[in-house]
Amino acid sequence: MGLNPSMDRTEEVPGFQLHQVNRSQQTSPRAGGKSFIVARALRRLGVDVAAHGFLGGAVGSYLREECHRLGIRDLHTGIAGETRINTIVVDPGSGSATVINEPGPEVSGKEFEQLRATLVDSLTPGSLVAFTGSLPQGVEAQRYTELIAECSRNGTHTLVDAAETTLVEVAGRGPWAIKCNLEEFSALDSAVDPVWSEARLPELVAAMRRTLRSGTRLVLVTLGPGGLVAVTEDEVVRVHTAPIVVQNPTGSGDTLLAGLLAAAHRGTSLHEALELGSAAAAANAATITPDIGPDPDLNPYRAGIRLSVIEQRRPTDV
């Protein structure tokens, strides 16, 4: 579930330079925003998925067509505004990516209420819902947080991957799981240094454990090329991801989330979920456009993952 989806235009620009005239070698438009990257990867992994959010205008029509093509159930709410277009400039030589995100359309209170009703009516106890991405104009973090809390009360497993301000609002309401990067987590807990070094692992784990006190069952913090740390009440897991040649890291965190959700849907162990998610993230980063491709073979990426259990009381399922 992402309130602010987009069309993502990936521009391949060899030798990209700021303040210069640059020429794109290739343009690849596709359904984007965090929610579409997650939903597309879930379909690639063989999981049925429904997408909720706001769509409007010509770009919104394009995204609805993409839902049909990819086999994603389109439960988006139509709005008067125009869905945004984001631009990703990739230099294939260096592997660098520059992302320009538009703010998104203005959403009215009536449109938000329509989305809320559609989402809540579609859920059953045990449903998995990922709340991802930025908020469009007109939607306050408090209303978004109240929606997540309402879904959690209905027996839904809510997983939140949100920007700093929204994350702070949501974390105290005890969603089932929280996934964020180190910089976002440092906004949630000021004791955490946003600059990573392995020596800071104990202080990060202590802060992640504090986040569990609100009722959250899983906290996952990604460290870019450094992998990730996952903490539950019963164990602490450190994951070092497979070494790869990075083509475009955009969307890798979202693809990681898709792997976790796919594993949770199948009822696997946390370790298997972290391996699947990390392999999917690596496969995504190894391509120019944010995608793992149809019928992905993730085994080569899984083979390079190193998973260490730092603390364990008993194995955890997701």
Side-chain angles (χ1 to χ4, degrees), residues 8 35 38 64 79-80 104 108 172 204 213 229 237 265:
D8 285 357
S35 61
V38 172
R64 290 191 187 277
I79 58 173
S108 70
L204 175 61
R213 294 172 186 168
V229 179
V237 183
H265 174 73

Side-chain angles (χ1 to χ4, degrees), residues 1-5 52-55 77-79 103-116 119 131-148 162-163 165-167 169-170:
M1 207 285 282
L3 301 188
N4 208 10
H52 296 261
F54 297 111
L55 293 179
T77 298
I79 58 173
E106 184 82 27
V107 173
S108 70
K110 182 178 180 180
E111 289 166 340
F112 182 87
E113 178 55 31
Q114 185 178 349
L115 177 140
R116 186 204 67 79
L119 174 62
F131 290 84
T132 67
S134 62
L135 302 184
Q137 300 176 79
V139 177
E140 297 177 353
Q142 183 178 353
R143 269 192 106 177
Y144 187 58
T145 301
E146 289 170 353
L147 175 60
I148 296 171
T165 53
T166 308
L167 188 64
E169 287 274 350
V170 170

Side-chain angles (χ1 to χ4, degrees), residues 95-213:
S96 65
T98 301
V99 182
I100 303 171
N101 288 334
E102 294 185 359
E106 184 82 27
V107 173
S108 70
K110 182 178 180 180
E111 289 166 340
F112 182 87
E113 178 55 31
Q114 185 178 349
L115 177 140
R116 186 204 67 79
T118 301
L119 174 62
V120 172
D121 289 348
S122 72
L123 301 177
T124 58
S127 294
L128 284 163
V129 181
F131 290 84
T132 67
S134 62
L135 302 184
Q137 300 176 79
V139 177
E140 297 177 353
Q142 183 178 353
R143 269 192 106 177
Y144 187 58
T145 301
E146 289 170 353
L147 175 60
I148 296 171
E150 181 177 5
C151 292
S152 298
R153 287 194 299 271
N154 289 344
T156 297
H157 289 157
T158 54
L159 191 154
V160 178
D161 180 8
E164 289 95 329
T165 53
T166 308
L167 188 64
V168 171
E169 287 274 350
V170 170
R173 306 294 288 271
W176 174 68
I178 292 173
K179 176 256 169 195
C180 57
N181 62 36
L182 182 62
E183 183 177 358
E184 291 164 340
F185 190 73
S186 68
L188 180 62
D189 193 313
S190 59
V192 175
D193 194 316
V195 179
W196 176 247
S197 74
E198 205 67 30
R200 296 193 172 109
L201 179 60
E203 72 180 44
L204 175 61
V205 169
M208 293 169 74
R209 285 201 178 280
R210 287 194 291 271
T211 306
L212 293 176
R213 294 172 186 168

Side-chain angles (χ1 to χ4, degrees), residues 198-282:
E198 205 67 30
R200 296 193 172 109
L201 179 60
E203 72 180 44
L204 175 61
V205 169
M208 293 169 74
R209 285 201 178 280
R210 287 194 291 271
T211 306
L212 293 176
R213 294 172 186 168
S214 64
T216 297
R217 290 180 54 191
L218 168 66
V219 180
L220 192 152
V221 176
T222 59
L223 306 169
L228 60 90
V229 179
V231 174
T232 70
E233 184 180 345
D234 296 316
E235 60 183 338
V236 177
V237 183
R238 177 73 171 95
V239 179
H240 293 273
T241 53
I244 60 167
V245 177
V246 175
Q247 294 293 314
N248 179 8
T250 306
S252 294
D254 307 314
T255 313
L256 167 70
L257 177 56
L260 290 170
L261 289 168
H265 174 73
R266 295 165 186 157
T268 64
S269 70
L270 176 63
H271 298 180
E272 292 173 17
L274 294 173
E275 286 185 2
L276 177 61
S278 298

